[in-house]
């Protein structure tokens, strides 16, 4: 039986092209479905034939999570599951999952008013990092060096529309080298580990912020923590980000729609092949 793999997307980037090329090279039937134009009627069988497995690769966290939930309700196998996307796409849910699983993570306090947010920053001790609950590529992630700066930024945040902007996620600014470690986890394996090095003058390490990637040795400690973090959020195809603190490795984020172009540039393993093979093996179980 030839397996049919559907790529659900809202924009085709380099990563999605790699996945499509890999699936076709393996002889799979491949479908491409744009989530922006598809309809998901909840009261009847899916209008579209999604085949044996769907790789959900939407850039929009909300769109991808909701689409996955609808597809799963029709008995369709989706990678990653909606529950995994939901946890990874919200920093609070993700941090709670990591803490419950005993994964080391930076000290974090949640506050619900600007006044409480300032108290949280004082309790952790400056500098601290203010993050949005939902977001990626380092957008709206701000380092607050002192109370004066915190008052200004938190006041600005409190004026923004949206209920989630009234929840303040305050985290310690971890003392670390100007880099973090990105592990690409596929199932129960770490298929790539890289350093993401911050660009000159930038403390955030996101490649989208000009960061670069370098090979990182996959030590037993890095591997164990990455797999434990992946398991904590429900498993699948994930990007686990960790920092090298004076107290050891701390996981600060797990991504459910992992971008792997940077990791691929310094890795000998073809990451797209690993992801497609993982999806195929799920069908064959």
């Amino acid at each position: 039986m030839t397996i049919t793999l559907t790529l659900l997307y809202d924009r085709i980037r380099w990563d999605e092209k790699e996945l499509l090329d890999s699936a076709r090279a393996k002889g799979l039937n491949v479908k491409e479905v744009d989530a922006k134009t598809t309809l998901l009627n909840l009261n009847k069988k899916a209008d579209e034939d999604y085949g044996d497995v769907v790789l959900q690769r939407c850039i929009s966290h909300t769109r991808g999570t909701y689409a996955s939930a609808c597809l799963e309700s029709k008995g369709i196998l989706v990678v990653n599951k909606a529950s995994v996307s939901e946890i990874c796409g919200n920093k609070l849910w993700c941090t709670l999952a990591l803490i419950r699983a005993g994964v080391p993570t930076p000290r974090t306090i949640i506050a619900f008013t600007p006044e409480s947010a300032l108290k949280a920053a004082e309790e952790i001790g400056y500098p601290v990092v203010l993050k949005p609950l939902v977001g990626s590529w380092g957008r709206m992630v701000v380092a607050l060096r002192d109370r004066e700066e915190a008052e200004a930024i938190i006041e600005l945040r409190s004026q923004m529309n949206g209920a989630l902007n009234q929840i303040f996620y305050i985290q310690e600014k971890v003392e670390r080298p100007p880099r973090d470690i990105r592990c690409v986890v596929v199932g129960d394996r770490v298929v790539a580990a890289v350093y993401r090095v911050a660009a000159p003058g930038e403390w955030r390490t996101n490649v989208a912020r000009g960061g670069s990637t370098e090979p990182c040795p996959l030590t037993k400690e890095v591997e164990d923590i990455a797999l434990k973090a992946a398991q904590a959020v429900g498993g699948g195809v994930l990007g686990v980000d960790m920092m090298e603190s004076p107290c050891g490795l701390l996981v600060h984020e797990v991504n459910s729609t992992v971008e792997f172009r940077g990791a691929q540039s310094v890795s000998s393993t073809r990451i797209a092949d690993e992801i497609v093979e993982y999806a195929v093996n799920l069908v064959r179980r």
Side-chain angles (χ1 to χ4, degrees):
M1 179 189 80
T2 301
I3 290 174
T4 297
L5 179 147
T6 296
L7 186 94
L8 183 68
Y9 67 94
D10 51 15
R11 194 172 78 195
I12 297 285
R13 303 166 292 180
W14 180 92
D15 310 73
E16 285 70 41
K17 289 178 183 172
E18 280 285 290
L19 291 167
L20 291 168
D21 289 347
S22 172
R24 290 183 175 119
K26 290 178 183 296
L28 306 184
N29 292 326
V30 178
K31 295 190 66 176
E32 302 175 34
V33 175
D34 186 345
K36 302 191 298 299
T37 57
T38 195
L39 299 177
L40 293 165
N41 188 326
L42 303 184
N43 300 109
K44 64 176 186 178
K45 191 178 176 183
D47 295 324
E48 186 96 35
D49 178 7
Y50 286 88
D52 301 293
V53 61
V54 173
L55 274 182
Q56 192 275 104
R57 292 287 308 179
C58 293
I59 296 173
S60 164
H61 154 67
T62 304
R63 182 181 291 131
T65 302
Y66 280 65
S68 295
C70 293
L71 294 174
E72 287 172 15
S73 75
K74 299 175 185 300
I76 297 169
L77 178 61
V78 182
V79 178
N80 288 316
K81 295 178 181 175
S83 58
V84 175
S85 298
E86 186 170 27
I87 292 172
C88 294
N90 182 300
K91 291 180 176 60
L92 173 55
W93 303 151
C94 188
T95 299
L96 291 174
L98 294 173
I99 291 172
R100 276 196 297 270
V103 177
T105 190
R107 286 182 298 143
T108 305
I109 297 179
I110 298 294
F112 299 101
T113 65
E115 296 76 17
S116 299
L118 289 170
K119 287 181 183 175
E122 298 285 349
E123 184 169 327
I124 292 174
Y126 293 103
V128 297
V129 180
L130 174 66
K131 297 181 177 181
L133 287 186
V134 176
S136 56
W137 301 328
R139 287 179 297 200
M140 291 178 61
V141 174
V142 186
L144 306 175
R145 290 168 293 187
D146 52 37
R147 184 177 177 92
E148 184 178 3
E149 202 166 63
E151 286 177 338
I153 298 297
I154 289 172
E155 182 180 350
L156 279 174
R157 262 285 301 277
S158 69
Q159 301 301 314
M160 296 174 67
N161 292 327
L164 292 184
N165 285 323
Q166 307 311 312
I167 301 174
F168 300 89
Y169 179 104
I170 312 281
Q171 196 166 69
E172 67 172 313
K173 189 170 186 297
V174 174
E175 184 183 340
R176 58 162 173 78
R179 67 186 186 191
D180 67 6
I181 297 173
R182 157 68 57 90
C183 289
V184 180
V185 177
V186 179
D188 59 0
R189 296 174 53 228
V190 178
V191 301
V194 297
Y195 290 120
R196 299 190 307 172
V197 182
E202 173 63 75
W203 64 277
R204 292 167 292 189
T205 57
N206 307 74
V207 173
R209 296 276 166 191
S212 57
T213 53
E214 297 176 0
C216 170
L218 181 59
T219 64
K220 183 74 166 53
E221 182 186 18
V222 168
E223 182 178 32
D224 287 348
I225 291 178
L227 293 177
K228 192 172 182 179
Q231 195 63 36
V233 300
V237 177
L238 300 158
V240 178
D241 298 337
M242 59 185 82
M243 295 182 279
E244 304 158 280
S245 83
C247 303
L249 296 172
L250 299 174
V251 175
H252 58 99
E253 198 160 315
V254 183
N255 303 274
S256 64
T257 307
V258 57
E259 294 173 274
F260 52 89
R261 185 173 188 174
Q264 187 61 80
S265 69
V266 294
S267 173
S268 58
T269 301
R270 193 172 180 216
I271 297 170
D273 283 351
E274 297 285 344
I275 295 172
V276 170
E277 197 61 36
Y278 170 74
V280 168
N281 287 335
L282 288 180
V283 175
R284 289 175 174 159
R285 280 183 187 173

